[in-house]
Amino acid sequence: MNFLVAAALAVCAYVSSVHCASEPIAWCYHLPSCNDNTWPTISPQYCNGTRQSPINIVSSNSKPDASLTAFTFKNFDNTSVLKSIKNTGGTVKVTFGSGVQVSGGGLSEAYDSLQFHLHWGNGSSVPGSEHTVDGKRYPMELHIVNSKASYNGNTTQAVADSKGLAVLGFFIEEMSGTATGQPASWKTLTSYLTNIKNKDDSVSIASGISLDDLLDGVNLSRYYRYLGSLTSPACNEAVVWNVFKEPIKVSKDLIDLFSTTIHINNSSSPLMTNVFRKIQPDQPVTESAGISSRED
């Protein structure tokens, strides 16, 4: 049986920290015995809660909020901050070095940026973003996970706080035309996938690409905000969600690599496809105003 045993409320895989509580939860995306239909039963404390993610964002119901001003992104332009890339058995996760932060944007304090991971379907033709907008599901979604700086990486404290985590969500859309291997930053990132085909495979990332490079072309001043949860067990209701309106554009061949290269366990196990949670009940959504900024 292929499933994920999340040895830290499933939060360690999602958040990445040395401070993690230990409570194994077996969950998966692909088997009826442990897929997201079962999560409210196998992890009922939060997965059966009232503030769950992801949601369908109805743009006409989103209310402008003047407090959602510019974010400040610290070290997003640093080409040495992406440290390692790992196959967790449920996603591809990239861990950051220290000193990366997000602040502003109506957040109560600065948040330390810890890692990003991705969700996808089955190639560019079977979309797999977690959030949808007006019912539209994108091919992929990237989540940058951030924890309140005052917790110093202690995710046990962060997931116990209703706003302990802030996640930046970016849709990934197929680039128009017949371009391949574009953009260059994503070609570099996906070049590592052949080194992490099996669960728990992890390799270092060489200097050369930054978070800014991967987010190139996205207007970082336009985003939706709502209060929700982690999107895998234990589904802690601790996340300030920021879902950006404009997608990252990536060529079809690079999007397809995720569902044709990565395995759930080893090479004889299924390829990792459709790694996203189904849509949860609506939450109140607001939208931003402001201009993004950088802090070097």
Side-chain angles (χ1 to χ4, degrees):
M1 177 180 180
N2 295 316
F3 56 82
L4 300 177
V5 176
L9 298 168
V11 170
C12 289
Y14 197 101
V15 177
S16 176
S17 171
V18 295
H19 302 98
C20 280
S22 180
E23 182 183 314
I25 300 170
W27 62 274
C28 72
Y29 290 110
H30 68 296
L31 294 175
S33 59
C34 54
N35 67 18
D36 61 352
N37 291 323
T38 73
W39 298 354
T41 301
I42 64 178
S43 185
Q45 182 176 4
Y46 299 111
C47 293
N48 199 32
T50 59
R51 201 186 106 175
Q52 289 294 289
S53 299
I55 64 170
N56 174 51
I57 297 168
V58 180
S59 59
S60 61
N61 293 342
S62 175
K63 297 181 179 180
D65 185 344
S67 72
L68 301 184
T69 55
F71 284 114
T72 296
F73 302 94
K74 182 179 179 182
N75 279 326
F76 271 49
D77 61 347
N78 187 325
T79 57
S80 300
V81 80
L82 306 183
K83 294 301 184 183
S84 65
I85 184 168
K86 181 178 182 177
N87 175 348
T88 70
T91 186
V92 168
K93 181 177 73 172
V94 172
T95 303
F96 308 154
S98 61
V100 189
Q101 283 192 336
V102 175
S103 59
L107 297 174
S108 60
E109 62 175 86
Y111 284 67
D112 292 328
S113 305
L114 305 177
Q115 53 103 331
F116 75 71
H117 60 271
L118 299 119
H119 298 270
W120 61 88
N122 192 354
S124 57
S125 60
V126 181
S129 68
E130 294 213 295
H131 292 89
T132 59
V133 178
D134 297 329
K136 177 180 178 178
R137 191 179 298 280
Y138 288 80
M140 296 183 69
E141 188 171 336
L142 181 152
H143 292 162
I144 300 177
V145 181
N146 312 273
S147 175
K148 276 186 177 178
S150 57
Y151 291 140
N152 296 313
N154 188 321
T155 55
T156 301
Q157 289 182 307
V159 298
D161 179 340
S162 65
K163 298 182 180 179
L165 301 172
V167 178
L168 310 181
F170 296 88
F171 297 117
I172 297 172
E173 187 171 55
E174 182 180 337
M175 189 178 288
S176 60
T178 59
T180 59
Q182 296 295 320
S185 58
W186 281 85
K187 183 176 182 180
T188 299
L189 180 71
T190 55
S191 71
Y192 289 97
L193 296 181
T194 56
N195 300 116
I196 57 166
K197 291 182 177 181
N198 302 322
K199 182 182 177 182
D200 294 328
D201 285 348
S202 178
V203 294
S204 297
I205 296 177
S207 299
I209 57 172
S210 68
L211 286 166
D212 274 351
D213 293 333
L214 295 171
L215 305 178
D216 187 45
V218 177
N219 184 336
L220 297 174
S221 69
R222 303 181 68 231
Y223 58 94
Y224 298 105
R225 162 75 54 82
Y226 78 97
L227 299 180
S229 73
L230 299 179
T231 62
S232 61
C235 312
N236 302 69
E237 294 179 334
V239 180
V240 180
W241 275 100
N242 309 274
V243 180
F244 288 80
K245 294 184 178 183
E246 293 187 3
I248 303 166
K249 299 294 183 69
V250 177
S251 60
K252 179 183 184 298
D253 62 315
L254 299 186
I255 291 173
D256 290 349
L257 285 174
F258 287 89
S259 57
T260 58
T261 307
I262 306 297
H263 289 267
I264 293 171
N265 281 313
N266 53 35
S267 59
S268 62
S269 69
L271 288 163
M272 194 182 294
T273 60
N274 301 319
V275 287
F276 61 94
R277 189 186 191 188
K278 68 175 179 289
I279 295 297
Q280 303 298 301
D282 291 349
Q283 302 294 330
V285 176
T286 55
E287 60 180 280
S288 65
I291 301 172
S292 62
S293 63
R294 294 287 186 277
E295 180 182 329
D296 296 328

